[in-house]
Coordinates of all heavy atoms in Angstrom, one line a residue:
M1153 N -30.8 30.8 55.0 CA -30.2 30.2 56.2 C -31.1 29.4 56.9 O -32.2 29.7 57.1 CB -29.7 31.4 57.1 CG -29.0 30.8 58.4 SD -28.4 32.1 59.6 CE -27.0 32.7 58.6
A1154 N -30.7 28.2 57.4 CA -31.6 27.2 58.0 C -31.5 27.5 59.6 O -30.5 27.8 60.0 CB -31.1 25.8 57.7
N1155 N -32.7 27.2 60.2 CA -32.7 27.3 61.5 C -32.1 25.9 62.2 O -32.5 24.8 61.7 CB -34.0 27.5 62.1 CG -34.5 28.9 61.9 OD1 -33.7 29.8 62.0 ND2 -35.8 29.2 61.7
V1156 N -31.4 25.9 63.3 CA -31.0 24.8 64.0 C -32.0 24.7 65.2 O -31.9 25.5 66.1 CB -29.5 24.9 64.4 CG1 -29.2 23.7 65.3 CG2 -28.6 25.0 63.2
G1157 N -32.8 23.8 65.2 CA -33.9 23.7 66.2 C -33.6 22.5 67.2 O -32.6 21.9 67.3
T1158 N -34.7 22.2 67.9 CA -34.6 21.3 69.0 C -34.5 19.8 68.5 O -34.4 19.0 69.3 CB -35.9 21.4 69.9 OG1 -37.1 21.3 69.1 CG2 -35.8 22.7 70.6
Q1159 N -34.7 19.6 67.2 CA -34.7 18.3 66.7 C -33.4 17.6 66.9 O -33.1 16.3 66.7 CB -35.0 18.1 65.2 CG -34.1 18.8 64.3 CD -34.4 20.2 63.9 OE1 -35.0 21.0 64.7 NE2 -34.0 20.7 62.8
Y1160 N -32.3 18.4 67.1 CA -31.0 17.9 67.3 C -30.6 17.5 68.8 O -29.7 16.8 69.1 CB -29.9 18.9 66.9 CG -30.1 19.3 65.4 CD1 -30.5 20.5 65.0 CD2 -30.0 18.3 64.5 CE1 -30.7 20.8 63.7 CE2 -30.2 18.7 63.1 CZ -30.6 19.9 62.8 OH -30.8 20.2 61.6
V1161 N -31.5 17.9 69.7 CA -31.3 17.6 71.1 C -31.2 16.1 71.4 O -30.4 15.6 72.3 CB -32.4 18.4 71.9 CG1 -32.1 18.0 73.5 CG2 -32.2 19.8 71.8
A1162 N -32.0 15.3 70.7 CA -32.2 13.9 71.1 C -31.0 13.1 70.5 O -30.9 11.9 70.7 CB -33.5 13.3 70.6
R1163 N -30.3 13.7 69.6 CA -29.2 13.0 68.9 C -28.1 12.7 69.9 O -27.8 13.5 70.8 CB -28.6 13.7 67.7 CG -29.7 13.9 66.6 CD -29.1 13.6 65.3 NE -30.1 13.7 64.3 CZ -30.5 12.7 63.6 NH1 -30.0 11.5 63.7 NH2 -31.3 12.8 62.7
D1164 N -27.3 11.7 69.6 CA -26.1 11.2 70.5 C -25.0 11.9 69.9 O -24.1 11.0 69.3 CB -26.1 9.7 70.6 CG -24.9 9.3 71.5 OD1 -24.3 10.1 72.3 OD2 -24.6 8.1 71.4
F1165 N -24.7 13.1 70.1 CA -23.5 13.7 69.5 C -22.3 13.4 70.3 O -22.3 13.4 71.5 CB -23.6 15.2 69.4 CG -24.5 15.9 68.4 CD1 -25.9 16.2 68.7 CD2 -24.2 15.8 67.0 CE1 -26.7 16.6 67.7 CE2 -25.0 16.3 66.1 CZ -26.2 16.7 66.4
F1166 N -21.2 13.0 69.6 CA -20.0 12.5 70.4 C -18.8 13.1 69.9 O -17.7 13.0 70.6 CB -19.9 11.0 70.2 CG -19.6 10.5 68.8 CD1 -18.2 10.4 68.4 CD2 -20.6 10.2 67.9 CE1 -18.0 9.9 67.1 CE2 -20.2 9.8 66.6 CZ -18.9 9.6 66.3
A1167 N -18.7 13.9 68.7 CA -17.5 14.5 68.3 C -17.8 15.8 67.5 O -18.9 15.9 66.9 CB -16.7 13.5 67.4
F1168 N -16.8 16.6 67.4 CA -16.9 17.9 66.6 C -15.6 18.2 66.0 O -14.5 17.9 66.6 CB -17.3 19.1 67.7 CG -17.3 20.4 67.0 CD1 -18.4 20.9 66.3 CD2 -16.2 21.2 67.1 CE1 -18.5 22.1 65.7 CE2 -16.1 22.4 66.4 CZ -17.2 22.9 65.8
E1169 N -15.6 18.9 64.8 CA -14.3 19.4 64.3 C -14.6 20.5 63.3 O -15.8 20.7 62.8 CB -13.6 18.2 63.5 CG -14.3 17.8 62.2 CD -13.4 16.7 61.4 OE1 -12.2 16.8 61.5 OE2 -14.1 15.7 61.0
S1170 N -13.6 21.4 63.1 CA -13.6 22.4 62.1 C -12.7 22.0 61.1 O -11.6 21.6 61.2 CB -13.1 23.7 62.8 OG -14.0 24.1 63.8
V1171 N -13.2 22.2 59.8 CA -12.3 21.8 58.6 C -12.2 23.1 57.7 O -13.3 23.6 57.4 CB -13.0 20.6 57.8 CG1 -12.3 20.2 56.6 CG2 -13.1 19.4 58.7
T1172 N -11.0 23.3 57.2 CA -10.9 24.4 56.3 C -11.1 23.8 54.9 O -10.4 22.8 54.5 CB -9.4 25.0 56.3 OG1 -9.3 25.5 57.6 CG2 -9.2 26.1 55.3
V1173 N -12.0 24.4 54.1 CA -12.2 23.8 52.8 C -11.4 24.7 51.8 O -11.8 26.0 51.7 CB -13.7 23.8 52.5 CG1 -14.1 23.3 51.1 CG2 -14.5 23.0 53.5
S1174 N -10.6 24.1 51.0 CA -9.7 24.9 50.1 C -9.9 24.3 48.7 O -11.0 23.9 48.3 CB -8.3 24.8 50.5 OG -7.4 25.8 49.9
S1175 N -8.8 24.5 47.9 CA -8.9 24.1 46.4 C -8.8 22.6 46.2 O -8.8 22.1 45.0 CB -7.8 24.8 45.6 OG -6.5 24.5 46.2
T1176 N -8.6 21.8 47.3 CA -8.5 20.3 47.1 C -9.6 19.7 47.8 O -10.0 20.1 49.0 CB -7.2 19.8 47.8 OG1 -6.1 20.4 47.1 CG2 -7.1 18.3 47.6
S1177 N -10.3 18.7 47.2 CA -11.5 18.1 47.7 C -11.2 17.5 49.1 O -10.1 16.8 49.3 CB -12.0 17.1 46.7 OG -13.2 16.5 47.3
I1178 N -12.0 17.8 50.2 CA -11.6 17.3 51.5 C -12.9 16.9 52.2 O -14.0 17.4 52.0 CB -10.9 18.4 52.4 CG1 -10.3 17.8 53.6 CG2 -11.8 19.6 52.5 CD1 -9.4 18.8 54.4
G1179 N -12.8 16.0 53.1 CA -13.9 15.5 54.0 C -13.6 15.6 55.4 O -12.6 16.3 55.8
G1180 N -14.4 15.0 56.2 CA -14.1 14.9 57.6 C -12.9 14.1 58.0 O -12.4 13.3 57.2
T1181 N -12.5 14.0 59.2 CA -11.4 13.3 59.7 C -11.8 11.8 60.2 O -12.7 11.8 61.1 CB -10.7 14.0 60.9 OG1 -10.3 15.3 60.4 CG2 -9.4 13.2 61.3
A1182 N -11.4 10.8 59.5 CA -11.9 9.5 59.8 C -11.8 9.2 61.3 O -12.6 8.5 62.0 CB -11.2 8.5 59.0
A1183 N -10.6 9.5 61.9 CA -10.4 9.2 63.3 C -11.4 10.0 64.2 O -11.6 9.6 65.4 CB -9.0 9.6 63.7
T1184 N -12.0 11.0 63.7 CA -13.0 11.8 64.5 C -14.4 11.1 64.3 O -15.1 11.0 65.3 CB -13.0 13.2 64.1 OG1 -11.8 13.8 64.2 CG2 -14.1 14.0 64.9
Y1185 N -14.8 10.9 63.1 CA -16.2 10.4 62.9 C -16.3 8.9 63.1 O -17.4 8.3 63.2 CB -16.9 10.8 61.5 CG -16.1 10.3 60.3 CD1 -16.2 9.0 59.8 CD2 -15.3 11.2 59.5 CE1 -15.6 8.5 58.7 CE2 -14.7 10.8 58.4 CZ -14.9 9.5 58.0 OH -14.3 9.1 56.8
A1186 N -15.2 8.1 63.1 CA -15.2 6.7 63.3 C -14.1 6.3 64.2 O -13.1 5.7 63.8 CB -15.0 5.9 62.0
P1187 N -14.2 6.7 65.5 CA -13.1 6.5 66.5 C -13.0 5.0 66.8 O -14.0 4.2 66.6 CB -13.5 7.3 67.7 CG -15.0 7.4 67.6 CD -15.3 7.4 66.1
G1188 N -11.9 4.7 67.5 CA -11.7 3.3 67.9 C -10.8 2.6 67.0 O -10.3 3.0 66.0
T1189 N -10.4 1.4 67.5 CA -9.5 0.6 66.8 C -10.1 -0.8 66.6 O -11.2 -1.0 67.1 CB -8.1 0.4 67.5 OG1 -8.5 -0.3 68.8 CG2 -7.5 1.7 67.9
T1190 N -9.4 -1.7 66.0 CA -10.0 -3.1 65.8 C -10.0 -3.8 67.3 O -10.8 -4.7 67.4 CB -9.1 -4.0 64.9 OG1 -7.7 -3.9 65.4 CG2 -9.2 -3.4 63.4
V1191 N -9.2 -3.3 68.1 CA -9.2 -3.8 69.5 C -10.5 -3.3 70.3 O -11.2 -4.0 71.0 CB -7.9 -3.6 70.3 CG1 -8.0 -4.1 71.7 CG2 -6.8 -4.2 69.5
T1192 N -10.7 -2.0 70.2 CA -11.8 -1.4 70.9 C -12.6 -0.6 69.9 O -12.6 0.6 69.8 CB -11.2 -0.4 72.0 OG1 -10.4 0.5 71.4 CG2 -10.6 -1.1 73.1
P1193 N -13.4 -1.3 69.1 CA -14.2 -0.7 68.0 C -15.3 0.2 68.7 O -15.8 0.0 69.7 CB -14.8 -1.8 67.2 CG -14.8 -3.0 68.2 CD -13.7 -2.8 69.1
A1194 N -15.6 1.3 67.9 CA -16.7 2.2 68.4 C -17.6 2.3 67.1 O -17.2 2.3 65.9 CB -16.2 3.6 68.8
S1195 N -18.9 2.5 67.3 CA -19.8 2.8 66.1 C -19.4 4.1 65.4 O -19.2 5.1 66.2 CB -21.2 2.8 66.6 OG -21.5 1.7 67.2
P1196 N -19.4 4.1 64.1 CA -19.0 5.3 63.4 C -20.2 6.2 63.5 O -21.4 5.7 63.7 CB -18.7 4.8 62.1 CG -19.5 3.6 61.8 CD -19.4 2.8 63.3
A1197 N -20.1 7.5 63.1 CA -21.2 8.4 63.0 C -22.2 8.0 62.0 O -21.8 7.5 60.9 CB -20.6 9.8 62.7
S1198 N -23.5 8.0 62.3 CA -24.4 7.8 61.3 C -25.2 9.0 61.0 O -26.1 9.1 60.2 CB -25.4 6.8 61.8 OG -26.0 7.2 63.0
F1199 N -24.8 10.2 61.5 CA -25.3 11.5 61.3 C -24.3 12.6 61.4 O -23.4 12.5 62.3 CB -26.5 11.8 62.3 CG -27.2 13.1 62.1 CD1 -28.1 13.3 61.1 CD2 -26.7 14.2 62.9 CE1 -28.8 14.6 61.0 CE2 -27.4 15.5 62.7 CZ -28.4 15.6 61.8
A1200 N -24.3 13.6 60.5 CA -23.4 14.7 60.7 C -24.2 16.1 60.4 O -25.1 16.1 59.5 CB -22.3 14.6 59.7
L1201 N -24.1 17.0 61.3 CA -24.6 18.4 61.1 C -23.4 19.2 60.7 O -22.5 19.4 61.4 CB -25.3 18.8 62.4 CG -25.8 20.1 62.5 CD1 -27.0 20.2 61.6 CD2 -26.2 20.5 63.9
I1202 N -23.5 19.8 59.6 CA -22.4 20.6 59.0 C -23.0 22.0 58.8 O -23.9 22.3 58.1 CB -21.9 20.0 57.7 CG1 -21.5 18.6 57.9 CG2 -20.8 20.9 57.1 CD1 -21.3 17.8 56.5
T1203 N -22.2 23.0 59.3 CA -22.5 24.4 59.1 C -21.4 25.0 58.2 O -20.2 24.7 58.4 CB -22.7 25.2 60.3 OG1 -21.5 25.1 61.2 CG2 -23.9 24.7 61.1
V1204 N -21.8 25.7 57.3 CA -20.9 26.4 56.3 C -20.5 27.9 56.7 O -21.5 28.7 57.0 CB -21.4 26.4 54.9 CG1 -20.4 27.0 53.9 CG2 -21.8 25.0 54.4
E1205 N -19.3 28.2 56.9 CA -18.9 29.5 57.3 C -18.0 30.1 56.4 O -17.2 29.4 55.6 CB -18.3 29.5 58.8 CG -19.3 28.9 59.8 CD -18.7 28.8 61.1 OE1 -17.6 29.4 61.4 OE2 -19.4 28.3 62.0
T1206 N -17.9 31.4 56.3 CA -16.9 32.2 55.5 C -17.2 32.4 54.0 O -17.2 33.5 53.6 CB -15.5 31.6 55.7 OG1 -15.3 31.2 57.1 CG2 -14.4 32.6 55.4
D1207 N -17.5 31.3 53.3 CA -17.7 31.4 51.9 C -18.4 30.1 51.4 O -18.7 29.2 52.1 CB -16.3 31.5 51.2 CG -16.5 32.3 49.9 OD1 -17.5 32.4 49.4 OD2 -15.4 32.8 49.4
Q1208 N -18.8 30.2 50.1 CA -19.5 29.1 49.4 C -18.5 27.9 49.3 O -17.4 27.9 49.2 CB -19.9 29.5 48.1 CG -21.0 30.5 48.0 CD -21.4 30.9 46.7 OE1 -20.5 31.0 45.7 NE2 -22.6 31.1 46.3
I1209 N -19.1 26.7 49.4 CA -18.5 25.4 49.0 C -19.4 24.6 48.0 O -20.6 24.9 47.9 CB -18.3 24.5 50.3 CG1 -19.6 24.1 50.9 CG2 -17.4 25.2 51.3 CD1 -19.5 23.0 52.0
R1210 N -18.8 23.7 47.5 CA -19.5 22.7 46.7 C -19.2 21.3 47.3 O -18.1 21.1 47.9 CB -18.8 22.5 45.2 CG -19.1 23.7 44.3 CD -20.3 23.6 43.5 NE -20.6 24.7 42.7 CZ -21.8 24.9 42.1 NH1 -22.7 23.9 42.2 NH2 -22.0 26.0 41.4
W1211 N -20.2 20.5 47.4 CA -20.0 19.3 48.2 C -20.8 18.1 47.5 O -21.7 18.3 46.7 CB -20.5 19.4 49.6 CG -22.0 19.7 49.7 CD1 -22.7 20.8 49.5 CD2 -23.1 18.7 50.0 NE1 -24.0 20.6 49.7 CE2 -24.3 19.3 49.9 CE3 -22.9 17.3 50.2 CZ2 -25.5 18.6 50.2 CZ3 -24.1 16.7 50.4 CH2 -25.4 17.3 50.5
R1212 N -20.4 16.9 47.9 CA -21.2 15.6 47.6 C -20.8 14.7 48.6 O -19.9 14.8 49.4 CB -20.7 15.2 46.2 CG -19.2 14.9 46.0 CD -18.7 14.7 44.6 NE -19.4 13.5 44.0 CZ -19.2 13.2 42.8 NH1 -18.6 14.0 41.9 NH2 -19.7 12.1 42.3
A1213 N -21.7 13.6 48.7 CA -21.6 12.5 49.8 C -21.6 11.1 49.2 O -22.0 10.2 49.8 CB -22.8 12.8 50.7
D1214 N -21.2 11.0 47.9 CA -21.2 9.8 47.4 C -19.7 9.1 47.2 O -19.6 8.0 46.5 CB -21.9 9.7 45.9 CG -21.1 10.6 45.0 OD1 -20.1 11.3 45.3 OD2 -21.6 10.6 43.8
G1215 N -18.8 9.8 47.7 CA -17.4 9.4 47.7 C -16.5 9.9 46.6 O -15.3 9.8 46.6
G1216 N -17.2 10.6 45.6 CA -16.4 11.2 44.5 C -15.8 12.5 45.0 O -16.3 13.1 45.9
A1217 N -14.8 13.0 44.4 CA -14.2 14.3 44.6 C -15.2 15.4 44.3 O -15.9 15.4 43.3 CB -13.0 14.5 43.9
A1218 N -15.3 16.3 45.2 CA -16.2 17.5 45.0 C -15.6 18.4 43.9 O -14.4 18.6 43.8 CB -16.2 18.4 46.2
T1219 N -16.4 18.8 43.0 CA -16.0 19.6 41.8 C -17.0 20.8 41.6 O -18.1 20.9 42.3 CB -15.9 18.8 40.5 OG1 -17.2 18.4 40.2 CG2 -15.0 17.5 40.6
S1220 N -16.9 21.5 40.5 CA -17.8 22.6 40.2 C -19.1 22.0 39.9 O -20.2 22.8 39.7 CB -17.2 23.4 39.1 OG -17.0 22.7 37.9
A1221 N -19.2 20.7 39.6 CA -20.5 20.0 39.2 C -21.2 19.5 40.5 O -22.3 18.8 40.3 CB -20.2 18.9 38.2
S1222 N -20.7 19.8 41.7 CA -21.3 19.3 42.9 C -22.4 20.2 43.4 O -22.6 21.3 42.9 CB -20.2 19.0 44.0 OG -19.2 18.2 43.5
H1223 N -23.0 19.9 44.6 CA -24.0 20.7 45.2 C -23.3 22.0 45.7 O -22.3 22.0 46.3 CB -24.6 19.9 46.4 CG -25.3 18.7 46.0 ND1 -26.6 18.7 45.4 CD2 -25.0 17.4 46.2 CE1 -26.9 17.4 45.2 NE2 -26.0 16.6 45.7
L1224 N -24.0 23.1 45.6 CA -23.6 24.3 46.1 C -24.2 24.6 47.5 O -25.5 24.4 47.7 CB -24.1 25.5 45.2 CG -23.7 26.9 45.6 CD1 -22.2 27.1 45.6 CD2 -24.4 27.9 44.6
A1225 N -23.4 25.1 48.4 CA -23.9 25.4 49.8 C -23.3 26.9 50.1 O -22.1 27.1 49.8 CB -23.4 24.5 50.9
N1226 N -24.1 27.7 50.5 CA -23.6 29.1 50.8 C -23.3 29.3 52.3 O -23.7 28.5 53.2 CB -24.8 30.1 50.5 CG -25.1 30.1 49.1 OD1 -24.3 30.4 48.2 ND2 -26.4 29.8 48.7
N1227 N -22.5 30.4 52.6 CA -22.1 30.7 53.9 C -23.4 30.8 54.7 O -24.4 31.5 54.3 CB -21.5 32.1 53.8 CG -21.0 32.6 55.2 OD1 -21.0 31.9 56.2 ND2 -20.7 33.9 55.3
G1228 N -23.5 30.1 55.8 CA -24.6 30.1 56.6 C -25.6 28.9 56.5 O -26.5 28.6 57.3
D1229 N -25.3 28.1 55.4 CA -26.2 27.0 55.2 C -25.8 25.9 56.1 O -24.7 25.8 56.7 CB -26.0 26.4 53.7 CG -26.7 27.3 52.7 OD1 -27.5 28.2 53.1 OD2 -26.5 27.0 51.5
V1230 N -26.8 24.9 56.3 CA -26.6 23.8 57.2 C -26.8 22.5 56.3 O -27.9 22.5 55.6 CB -27.6 23.8 58.4 CG1 -27.6 22.5 59.1 CG2 -27.5 25.0 59.2
I1231 N -26.0 21.6 56.4 CA -26.1 20.3 55.6 C -26.2 19.2 56.6 O -25.4 19.2 57.6 CB -24.7 20.1 54.8 CG1 -24.6 21.3 53.8 CG2 -24.8 18.7 54.1 CD1 -23.1 21.2 53.2
E1232 N -27.2 18.4 56.4 CA -27.4 17.2 57.3 C -27.2 16.0 56.5 O -27.7 15.8 55.4 CB -28.8 17.1 57.8 CG -29.3 18.3 58.7 CD -30.6 18.2 59.1 OE1 -31.2 17.1 59.2 OE2 -31.3 19.3 59.4
L1233 N -26.3 15.1 57.0 CA -26.0 13.8 56.3 C -26.6 12.8 57.2 O -26.3 12.6 58.4 CB -24.5 13.7 56.2 CG -23.7 14.7 55.4 CD1 -22.2 14.4 55.5 CD2 -24.3 14.7 53.9
Q1234 N -27.3 11.8 56.5 CA -27.9 10.6 57.3 C -27.2 9.4 56.7 O -27.1 9.2 55.5 CB -29.4 10.5 56.9 CG -30.2 11.7 57.4 CD -30.6 11.7 58.8 OE1 -30.5 10.6 59.5 NE2 -31.1 12.8 59.3
G1235 N -26.7 8.6 57.6 CA -26.1 7.2 57.2 C -24.6 7.4 57.4 O -24.0 8.3 57.0
A1236 N -23.9 6.2 57.8 CA -22.5 6.1 58.0 C -21.8 6.3 56.7 O -20.7 7.0 56.7 CB -22.1 4.9 58.7
N1237 N -22.3 5.8 55.6 CA -21.7 6.0 54.2 C -21.7 7.4 53.8 O -20.7 7.9 53.3 CB -22.3 5.1 53.2 CG -22.1 3.6 53.4 OD1 -21.0 3.3 54.0 ND2 -22.8 2.8 52.9
A1238 N -22.8 8.1 54.0 CA -22.8 9.5 53.7 C -21.8 10.3 54.4 O -21.1 11.2 53.8 CB -24.2 10.1 53.8
V1239 N -21.7 10.1 55.7 CA -20.7 10.8 56.6 C -19.3 10.6 56.1 O -18.6 11.4 56.0 CB -21.0 10.4 58.1 CG1 -19.9 10.9 59.0 CG2 -22.4 10.8 58.6
A1240 N -19.0 9.3 55.8 CA -17.6 8.9 55.5 C -17.3 9.3 54.1 O -16.1 9.7 53.8 CB -17.5 7.4 55.6
N1241 N -18.3 9.4 53.3 CA -18.1 9.8 51.8 C -18.2 11.3 51.6 O -17.9 11.7 50.4 CB -19.0 9.1 50.9 CG -18.7 7.6 50.9 OD1 -17.6 7.2 51.0 ND2 -19.7 6.8 50.6
F1242 N -18.5 12.1 52.6 CA -18.6 13.6 52.3 C -17.4 14.2 51.8 O -16.3 13.9 52.5 CB -19.1 14.2 53.7 CG -19.2 15.8 53.5 CD1 -20.2 16.4 52.9 CD2 -18.1 16.5 54.1 CE1 -20.3 17.8 52.9 CE2 -18.2 17.8 54.0 CZ -19.2 18.5 53.4
R1243 N -17.5 15.0 50.9 CA -16.2 15.8 50.3 C -16.7 17.2 50.0 O -17.9 17.3 49.5 CB -15.7 15.1 49.1 CG -15.1 13.7 49.3 CD -13.9 13.7 50.1 NE -13.3 12.4 50.4 CZ -13.7 11.6 51.4 NH1 -14.6 12.0 52.3 NH2 -13.1 10.4 51.5
A1244 N -15.8 18.1 50.2 CA -16.1 19.6 49.9 C -15.0 20.2 49.2 O -13.9 19.8 49.5 CB -16.7 20.3 51.2
I1245 N -15.2 21.3 48.4 CA -14.3 22.1 47.9 C -14.8 23.6 47.8 O -15.9 23.7 47.8 CB -13.9 21.6 46.4 CG1 -12.6 22.2 45.9 CG2 -15.0 21.8 45.5 CD1 -12.1 21.5 44.7
R1246 N -13.8 24.5 48.0 CA -14.2 25.9 48.0 C -14.7 26.3 46.5 O -14.4 25.6 45.6 CB -13.0 26.7 48.3 CG -12.0 26.9 47.2 CD -10.9 27.8 47.7 NE -9.9 28.0 46.7 CZ -8.7 28.5 46.9 NH1 -8.3 28.9 48.0 NH2 -7.9 28.7 45.7
V1247 N -15.6 27.5 46.5 CA -16.0 28.0 45.2 C -15.0 29.1 44.8 O -14.5 29.0 43.7 CB -17.4 28.5 45.4 CG1 -17.7 29.3 44.1 CG2 -18.3 27.4 45.6
T1248 N -14.8 30.0 45.7 CA -13.7 31.1 45.5 C -12.7 31.3 46.4 O -11.5 31.0 46.0 CB -14.5 32.5 45.3 OG1 -15.3 32.7 46.4 CG2 -15.5 32.5 44.1
A1249 N -13.0 31.5 47.7 CA -12.0 31.7 48.8 C -12.1 30.5 49.7 O -13.3 29.9 49.8 CB -12.1 33.0 49.5
D1250 N -11.2 30.2 50.5 CA -11.2 29.2 51.5 C -12.5 29.4 52.5 O -12.9 30.5 52.7 CB -10.0 29.1 52.4 CG -8.8 28.6 51.6 OD1 -9.0 28.2 50.5 OD2 -7.8 28.4 52.3
A1251 N -13.1 28.4 52.8 CA -14.3 28.4 53.7 C -14.0 27.5 54.9 O -13.1 26.6 54.8 CB -15.6 28.0 53.0
T1252 N -14.7 27.7 56.0 CA -14.6 26.8 57.2 C -16.0 26.1 57.3 O -17.0 26.7 57.2 CB -14.4 27.5 58.3 OG1 -13.1 28.3 58.3 CG2 -14.3 26.7 59.7
I1253 N -15.8 24.8 57.5 CA -17.1 24.0 57.9 C -17.0 23.5 59.3 O -15.8 23.1 59.8 CB -17.5 23.0 56.9 CG1 -16.3 22.0 56.8 CG2 -17.9 23.5 55.5 CD1 -16.5 20.8 55.9
R1254 N -18.0 23.5 60.1 CA -18.0 23.0 61.5 C -19.0 21.7 61.3 O -20.1 21.7 60.9 CB -18.6 24.0 62.4 CG -18.1 25.4 62.4 CD -16.7 25.5 62.9 NE -16.4 27.0 62.8 CZ -15.3 27.5 62.9 NH1 -14.2 26.6 63.2 NH2 -15.0 28.7 62.9
I1255 N -18.4 20.6 61.9 CA -19.1 19.3 61.7 C -19.3 18.8 63.1 O -18.4 18.5 63.8 CB -18.3 18.3 60.9 CG1 -17.8 18.9 59.5 CG2 -19.2 17.0 60.6 CD1 -17.0 18.0 58.7
S1256 N -20.6 18.4 63.4 CA -20.9 17.7 64.6 C -21.3 16.3 64.3 O -22.2 16.2 63.3 CB -22.1 18.4 65.4 OG -21.6 19.6 66.0
Y1257 N -20.8 15.3 64.9 CA -21.1 13.9 64.6 C -22.0 13.2 65.6 O -21.7 13.4 66.8 CB -19.8 13.0 64.3 CG -18.9 13.6 63.3 CD1 -17.7 14.3 63.6 CD2 -19.1 13.4 62.0 CE1 -16.9 14.8 62.7 CE2 -18.3 13.7 60.9 CZ -17.2 14.5 61.2 OH -16.3 15.0 60.3
A1258 N -22.9 12.4 65.1 CA -23.8 11.7 66.1 C -23.9 10.2 65.6 O -23.7 9.9 64.5 CB -25.1 12.3 66.1
R1259 N -24.4 9.4 66.7 CA -24.6 8.0 66.3 C -26.1 7.8 66.3 O -26.9 8.5 66.8 CB -24.0 7.1 67.4 CG -22.6 7.1 67.3 CD -21.9 6.1 68.3 NE -20.5 6.1 68.3 CZ -19.8 6.7 69.1 NH1 -20.3 7.4 70.2 NH2 -18.4 6.6 68.9

């Protein structure tokens, strides 16, 4: 299990969501990590702090669907994504049972 320390205090966190990870590859909600419209654009998240809860997940951040060949994260693990593309392209799928991930987004 990773420690969440003071290195996150200086980040400009602006949004949070909980996502249920099931048998279909899923990512974060675009309206949450990239809020705004073409009339009032906002900078998308360039960093995401993801905590894994409940059960294991498999994940990737290159835009492909998460599969059994993706990275493994255990209950209690912390995933850090750097860069707007990594945040937008993040996908996860459960290993055995549904899991919950908590995602905090920062600019």
Side-chain angles (χ1 to χ4, degrees):
M1153 178 183 288
N1155 283 331
V1156 177
T1158 57
Q1159 68 268 27
Y1160 303 111
V1161 175
R1163 297 230 178 240
D1164 180 17
F1165 286 101
F1166 68 92
F1168 173 87
E1169 68 177 324
S1170 295
V1171 175
T1172 299
V1173 179
S1174 192
S1175 58
T1176 301
S1177 184
I1178 190 170
T1181 306
T1184 303
Y1185 64 76
T1189 65
T1190 55
V1191 176
T1192 57
S1195 297
S1198 59
F1199 177 83
L1201 176 68
I1202 303 168
T1203 56
V1204 180
E1205 301 181 8
T1206 316
D1207 208 342
Q1208 294 177 318
I1209 65 168
R1210 294 260 179 198
W1211 68 276
R1212 59 192 292 173
D1214 63 354
T1219 66
S1220 60
S1222 303
H1223 299 287
L1224 178 66
N1226 294 305
N1227 181 13
D1229 282 354
V1230 176
I1231 301 166
E1232 295 180 24
L1233 301 175
Q1234 300 277 346
N1237 286 337
V1239 173
N1241 291 332
F1242 174 81
R1243 298 289 178 271
I1245 194 167
R1246 73 181 187 193
V1247 173
T1248 53
D1250 286 2
T1252 300
I1253 56 175
R1254 313 286 184 195
I1255 311 173
S1256 292
Y1257 297 105
R1259 293 187 177 101

